[in-house]
């Protein structure tokens, strides 16, 4: 029982230590260079509300950038985007693979992508009508979830 309690205490300490590394800032220079470039080119003139730097144990560092208009963009430690959530407006085209953009344009006229997430093996896309689409990395539709 003492070993079990010791293990629980150690796990709790590790959890607290890892989460203590989270930081919030407005300093754009804390972002990787690629992320800085992406924000400035895709959201010109948009002010940053805050940047949350989240150090995750197994995933590395995630940078969550929140703009004043509510848009959220998550970047990996090397500055590649992981998720873009524009809430009520369209995700900039630079984040959307051409095949996915073409599919949405051809099959959902008048609708736009308001959120896109890049996973290891697929893209999750949410349209402004509430539909969730899943595409493989080549841009082929896998399924639609309403």
């Amino acid at each position: 029982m003492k070993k079990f309690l010791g293990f629980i205490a150690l796990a709790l300490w590790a959890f607290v230590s890892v989460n203590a590394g989270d930081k919030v800032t407005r300093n754009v220079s804390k972002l990787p260079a690629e992320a800085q470039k992406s924000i400035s080119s895709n959201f010109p003139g948009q002010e940053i509300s805050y940047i949350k730097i989240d150090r995750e144990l197994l995933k590395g560092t995630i940078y969550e950038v929140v703009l004043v208009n509510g848009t959220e963009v998550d970047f990996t430690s090397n500055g590649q985007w992981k998720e873009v959530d524009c809430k009520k407006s369209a995700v900039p085209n630079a984040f959307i693979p051409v095949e996915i953009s073409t599919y949405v344009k051809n099959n959902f006229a008048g609708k736009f992508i308001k959120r896109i997430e890049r996973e290891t093996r697929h893209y999750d896309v949410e349209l402004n009508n509430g539909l969730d689409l899943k595409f493989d990395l080549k841009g082929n539709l896998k399924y639609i979830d309403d």
Side-chain angles (χ1 to χ4, degrees), residues 101-116:
S101 180
T102 301
Y103 182 88
V104 170
K105 189 180 299 178
N106 291 339
N107 293 283
F108 297 98
K111 304 302 177 206
F112 60 84
I113 297 171
K114 70 175 195 170
R115 186 187 68 77
I116 186 166

Side-chain angles (χ1 to χ4, degrees), residues 17-32 35-36 50-56 60-66 73-77:
S17 296
V18 169
N19 285 332
D22 294 355
K23 294 181 182 178
V24 177
T25 184
R26 292 188 69 198
N27 187 351
V28 178
S29 67
K30 299 290 182 183
L31 292 171
Q36 291 178 36
Y50 66 89
I51 301 166
K52 180 180 175 188
I53 303 169
D54 187 14
R55 301 192 196 299
E56 296 183 1
T61 303
I62 300 294
Y63 298 87
E64 179 184 329
V65 179
V66 179
V73 185
D74 292 353
F75 295 97
T76 61
S77 55

Side-chain angles (χ1 to χ4, degrees), residues 73-142:
V73 185
D74 292 353
F75 295 97
T76 61
S77 55
N78 62 3
Q80 291 188 339
W81 70 271
K82 179 170 175 30
E83 181 177 1
V84 182
D85 188 349
C86 292
K87 308 294 184 202
K88 296 179 182 177
S89 61
V91 170
N93 289 332
F95 295 107
I96 306 168
V98 174
E99 298 82 6
I100 294 174
S101 180
T102 301
Y103 182 88
V104 170
K105 189 180 299 178
N106 291 339
N107 293 283
F108 297 98
K111 304 302 177 206
F112 60 84
I113 297 171
K114 70 175 195 170
R115 186 187 68 77
I116 186 166
E117 183 175 3
R118 180 170 41 196
E119 296 286 344
T120 307
R121 297 183 180 178
H122 65 272
Y123 289 94
D124 287 324
V125 171
E126 183 180 349
L127 303 181
N128 64 319
N129 65 355
L131 284 179
D132 291 318
L133 312 174
K134 184 177 275 192
F135 294 87
D136 65 16
L137 294 179
K138 294 181 181 176
N140 300 310
L141 180 70
K142 291 301 176 187

